[in-house]
Amino acid sequence: MECPNADHMTHLLKKEPSRIPINGTFELTIRCNLHCKMCMFRHDDSENTDIVHRELTADQWIKLANEVSRAGTFSLLLTGGEPMLRSDFCELYEGIYKQGFILTLYTNATLVTPRIMETLRRYPPHRIGITIYGASSETYERVCADASSFDRMREGVKQLRSLPSILDFRTTVINDNYADVDAIETMLRTEFGESCRLTQARMVNRSVRGACADVDACRLEPEDNVRLALRRSINIIKSYVGDRYDEKYLAIRLADNSDAEKHPRLTLFGCDAGMDSYAISWDGKLLGCQMMGAFALDVLDGSFTSAWKRFPGIVKLPPLNETCQACESLGICNCCWASRLAETGDLGGCPEYVCRDTAIVRALLNK
Amino acid sequence: MKNQEELTKHPSISFIACEAEALNNMASLSDAELKLVLEKMGYRFTKKFCASPNYLHRRVADMDVLLSIGGNIVNFNGYIEMNRSAAVLWDKLQQECSAADMEQALQDEFNISHEKAVEDVLDFLKFLQENNMVTVI
Ligand code: SF4
Ligand code: SF4
Ligand code: SF4
């Protein structure tokens, strides 16, 4: 007998689309020597003893690296917390490197020792992402609660620059370093070379997965957030067109997204998470991404490959809330399942901070 | 009797008899054709090759890639995609081997003619040499 729902079922998948874990993130530790006010991941120091006990050992990370390499991971990000804080960082790093990845290392550059440099010289990562939080000790004190880390960062960057790796400089802007952004860029260019560029997190979300930061108390108001993004974009345009820059020709337009619309793809979260990218947390949990802690599988309880296979089965998302569903700005909104969860504590929530930011962007587009 | 070391140090010249007609045609031959003619004349190609340790072969999904590693990233920070035959040759080059060994590997693996194997190996070695990816011994 023919199924009465057959017409409605033409969209059902006959088999699961192929998922290959090409891009991985290893969160080597959640601990950090700095105490940034807006840190999304660092736990309260009182938890450190327990965290050290539960962190994967160097051998476990190396074994995992071997496993993910055989499962198809090609690009691997090593991040934290601060990875260099681990006393076994050198052994761990060397063991992972030898499995053969396009390797990126994220660091705050304040813990670069001669021993670490010796290891990195022998096995240079393809990229190093360095986070810079200010252009003075005072700003480092305000943002990271450690004035001396400013000079350590500068020394660390000088050392890292001697490697053949590509260096990316990144920052997160909050009220306490808002006034420093231009000074950071100048410092990068004068101290570390004209070609140094600074990228900035577009929006600072509330902390996730048990982290302790009170982000609301320090992040920018959405107005300042958008103003900063706009000003920095204009600076980039000016650096290309020079004296020919004229504000009256400035137009803000939506990027052409028609190609993506023409070729919709199957996802778990509306992005690559869990489809061709993943993160493994400091305590050995497979996550869709570092920000999304709601769905997790233990990779030590079996293998990475079996956890990766089972992962889609544990992802259960609620329907999108009605406000977002009906929102005319859904297409330009920075919101995703992880940021909804971070901002509202609820996967289906509607994040007020993001809404305010998006409303300003919408107004600029309508102008 | 001379020992082996003295023998290899001793300069030697070998004469290879060529047909005049073959010699006349040589100028118009491709590298692969020239190699085949010389082979037929009895010339032995003694050069050996070995893959550079600056690249690591990884199989990613259905792709074979060579990843640039170590200090080599100062010259090339990235990876190169290979087809299956390039991957077979690269794996062969993990140990010192001659062009003939590589040709044989292609013939065994893909059941192709000797002529085609000679052409493919020459192209591959040329690419590797141009990009400092092989040591010639
Ligand atoms: S933001 Fe980065 S540097 Fe700052 S505390 Fe968190 S992990 Fe450490
Ligand atoms: S978060 Fe706000 S702006 Fe974004 S889609 Fe939902 S309602 Fe619209
Ligand atoms: S943060 Fe959001 S968009 Fe980014 S990978 Fe995670 S779920 Fe996807």
Side-chain angles (χ1 to χ4, degrees), chain A residues 19-56:
Chain A
R19 295 165 50 246
I20 300 167
I22 298 276
N23 301 305
T25 296
F26 281 7
E27 183 186 71
L28 299 180
T29 178
I30 206 69
R31 293 174 293 128
C32 190
N33 58 315
L34 301 186
H35 293 75
C36 302
K37 283 180 175 168
M38 67 301 179
C39 181
M40 288 186 72
F41 302 117
R42 192 184 61 81
H43 289 218
D44 189 81
D45 281 354
S46 61
E47 294 178 41
N48 279 352
T49 318
D50 176 49
I51 289 174
V52 171
H53 281 113
R54 288 169 53 212
E55 270 173 5
L56 298 195

Side-chain angles (χ1 to χ4, degrees), chain A residues 72 77 87 124 187 229 251 272 324:
Chain A
L77 166 67
S87 54
M187 174 184 77
D272 292 339
C324 289

Side-chain angles (χ1 to χ4, degrees), chain A residues 97 121-124 126 164, chain B residues 54 68-74:
Chain A
Y97 185 96
R121 239 187 287 284
R122 258 188 296 153
Y123 308 108
H126 294 83
Chain B
N54 291 333
S68 172
I69 52 169
N72 191 50
I73 63 171
V74 78

Side-chain angles (χ1 to χ4, degrees), chain A residues 321 323-325 327-330 333-335 340 350-351 354-356 358-359:
Chain A
N321 69 69
T323 323
C324 289
Q325 259 185 57
C327 176
E328 59 151 3
S329 299
L330 185 60
C333 176
N334 259 319
C335 210
R340 276 189 204 102
C350 179
V354 186
C355 282
R356 280 165 55 210
T358 311

Side-chain angles (χ1 to χ4, degrees), chain A residues 225-347:
Chain A
N225 214 15
V226 178
R227 191 175 298 134
L228 180 67
L230 192 63
R231 185 166 63 76
R232 299 202 61 229
S233 309
I234 291 174
N235 285 346
I236 294 171
I237 297 172
K238 280 183 182 163
S239 74
Y240 283 115
V241 301
D243 291 345
R244 287 177 297 138
Y245 176 78
D246 187 343
E247 194 143 329
K248 68 174 182 280
Y249 296 115
L250 187 70
I252 300 173
R253 292 209 190 94
L254 266 184
D256 180 14
N257 207 22
S258 55
D259 211 41
E261 277 160 16
K262 264 186 244 149
H263 307 285
R265 59 199 178 117
L266 282 152
T267 68
L268 288 172
F269 298 102
C271 58
D272 292 339
M275 294 303 289
D276 62 21
S277 67
Y278 63 91
I280 296 181
S281 66
W282 57 279
D283 54 349
K285 303 277 190 295
L286 172 68
L287 311 172
C289 73
Q290 234 190 330
M291 262 183 75
M292 172 59 94
F295 311 104
L297 283 175
D298 203 328
V299 287
L300 300 180
D301 177 23
S303 67
F304 169 81
T305 313
S306 81
W308 175 255
K309 263 198 195 132
R310 285 186 292 131
F311 190 74
I314 64 157
V315 176
K316 306 232 175 334
L317 295 170
L320 189 59
N321 69 69
E322 283 175 8
T323 323
C324 289
Q325 259 185 57
C327 176
E328 59 151 3
S329 299
L330 185 60
I332 59 164
C333 176
N334 259 319
C335 210
C336 71
W337 292 102
S339 61
R340 276 189 204 102
L341 180 64
E343 290 295 315
T344 68
D346 174 5
L347 282 164

